[in-house]
Amino acid sequence: MAVNPYLPQPARILERRQESATIFTLRLRFEDPVLRETYRFQPGQFNMVYLHGVGEVPISIVSDPEWEGVFDHTIRRVGRVTEGLAALKEGDCVGIRGPYGRGWPLTEAEGRDVLIITGGLGCAPVVSVIQYVIRRRRRFGRLTIIQGVKHSEDLIYRDQYEAWAQMPHTDVHVAANVAQGHWPWHVGPVTELIAQAAPDPGRTVAMMCGPEGMMLTASKLLLAKGMSAEAIFLSLERNMQCGLGHCGHCQIGGKFVCRDGPVFRFAEIRGLLGVRGF
């Protein structure tokens, strides 16, 4: 029987990790054993996460699509629903609808270099891409990861960045506008690192997520380096409420971010970014 896309399905919290002062990760498993076996997603897609009596929020799926029976959400505590989710413990239940949206172009990226650019918590939606590429390393060319944060203490997955930097054919560059304590990476805007990058324009696919202004600037820098707008992909954030392209809250021009995105080619939406009202 098909799952009703409007009805949240119960999922239990198997593990809760505190990533930073305001960011945490929940590992979930559906209560329904049939749904647990049949649920599939692509890196870059999202679920609507429902907290009973409080509300629902769209959250990217950050785990590998081939993990059996479990999936992870990394969440920033910024509003009423996420404040409530932050208070949950292992063993508690939430409701899940999804997965929704269009994910990252991983088939198109096979055999090519992959450039990942993220800002702030923008790293969460592309962590699944990084893990996907690393677990299937022979299918892809050089992997370059560029991550920026405002403050050094905002960086999550720090251990993972350090581990990724030690892997073959992988470059990791991290920047913080403001650094405190021991900070071994770049101090300054992440766009300074992007300006220094030297992707092979003919064989690189760029995937980015984070503040829209940063992504627009980064896209223009990559175009100036010879990359095609068809090879640059952005994950957009909007006020997504239904997840199905019905309510219209997430529209950008004639596109619904929840249904047509959240991942878009830059060529599809370049005329809509940075436009007042969109």
Side-chain angles (χ1 to χ4, degrees):
M1 183 174 66
V3 174
N4 184 337
Y6 295 98
L7 185 64
Q9 300 296 318
R12 192 168 299 280
I13 299 172
L14 300 182
E15 182 181 342
R16 183 192 185 286
R17 296 193 307 275
Q18 194 71 37
E19 308 285 4
S20 74
T22 59
I23 298 169
F24 58 98
T25 296
L26 300 180
R27 176 158 297 171
L28 300 166
R29 184 177 66 191
F30 284 113
E31 290 286 86
D32 181 340
V34 175
L35 184 56
R36 198 183 304 161
E37 292 297 320
T38 57
Y39 178 79
R40 297 289 183 274
F41 65 89
Q42 300 170 358
Q45 288 189 297
F46 66 94
N47 283 326
M48 299 299 296
V49 181
Y50 174 65
L51 181 60
H52 182 71
V54 182
E56 196 178 46
V57 287
I59 305 290
S60 296
I61 308 164
V62 300
S63 44
D64 191 284
E66 292 186 2
W67 286 5
E68 293 186 0
V70 299
F71 52 96
D72 287 359
H73 286 299
T74 294
I75 303 167
R76 183 191 292 272
R77 180 165 49 83
V78 291
R80 187 169 54 90
V81 178
T82 53
E83 288 279 358
L85 292 170
L88 297 179
K89 306 180 296 294
E90 293 177 4
D92 289 337
C93 268
V94 296
I96 296 291
R97 291 193 296 124
Y100 295 126
R102 179 171 58 176
W104 298 105
L106 292 169
T107 301
E108 183 174 334
E110 286 197 18
R112 304 172 69 178
D113 294 344
V114 178
L115 171 60
I116 305 286
I117 299 173
T118 64
L121 189 58
C123 63
V126 293
V127 162
S128 57
V129 174
I130 297 170
Q131 301 284 21
Y132 186 96
V133 171
I134 285 175
R135 290 194 174 99
R136 301 154 182 85
R137 201 65 191 87
R138 292 184 179 178
R139 297 190 200 172
F140 299 89
R142 191 157 201 88
L143 173 64
T144 301
I145 303 165
I146 299 178
Q147 161 74 28
V149 291
K150 281 188 177 179
H151 301 91
S152 55
E153 61 267 30
D154 294 336
L155 182 67
I156 62 174
Y157 305 130
R158 185 167 181 156
D159 292 346
Q160 290 194 35
Y161 281 101
E162 292 172 347
W164 293 331
Q166 303 305 312
M167 294 185 173
H169 310 298
T170 304
D171 300 311
V172 176
H173 308 277
V174 184
N177 290 19
V178 179
Q180 294 182 331
H182 174 64
W183 179 254
W185 294 297
H186 183 75
V187 178
V190 67
T191 48
E192 292 180 356
L193 294 180
I194 300 166
Q196 297 169 17
D200 182 339
R203 59 169 286 129
T204 300
V205 172
M207 307 181 201
M208 61 181 78
C209 192
E212 203 161 293
M214 182 278 289
M215 292 196 292
L216 184 57
T217 299
S219 298
K220 291 177 178 176
L221 288 169
L222 295 179
L223 291 176
K225 293 175 182 291
M227 284 193 63
S228 163
E230 296 286 337
I232 300 171
F233 294 83
L234 297 76
S235 181
L236 298 187
E237 287 189 8
R238 285 295 185 276
N239 177 19
M240 297 187 285
Q241 296 195 11
C242 72
L244 296 163
H246 291 171
C247 73
H249 283 86
C250 67
Q251 272 192 277
I252 175 168
K255 298 184 182 300
F256 292 83
V257 173
C258 70
R259 185 193 64 194
D260 304 318
V263 176
F264 293 93
R265 289 182 196 271
F266 183 61
E268 286 181 88
I269 55 165
R270 61 190 307 175
L272 302 174
L273 297 177
V275 177
R276 190 177 181 84
F278 288 160

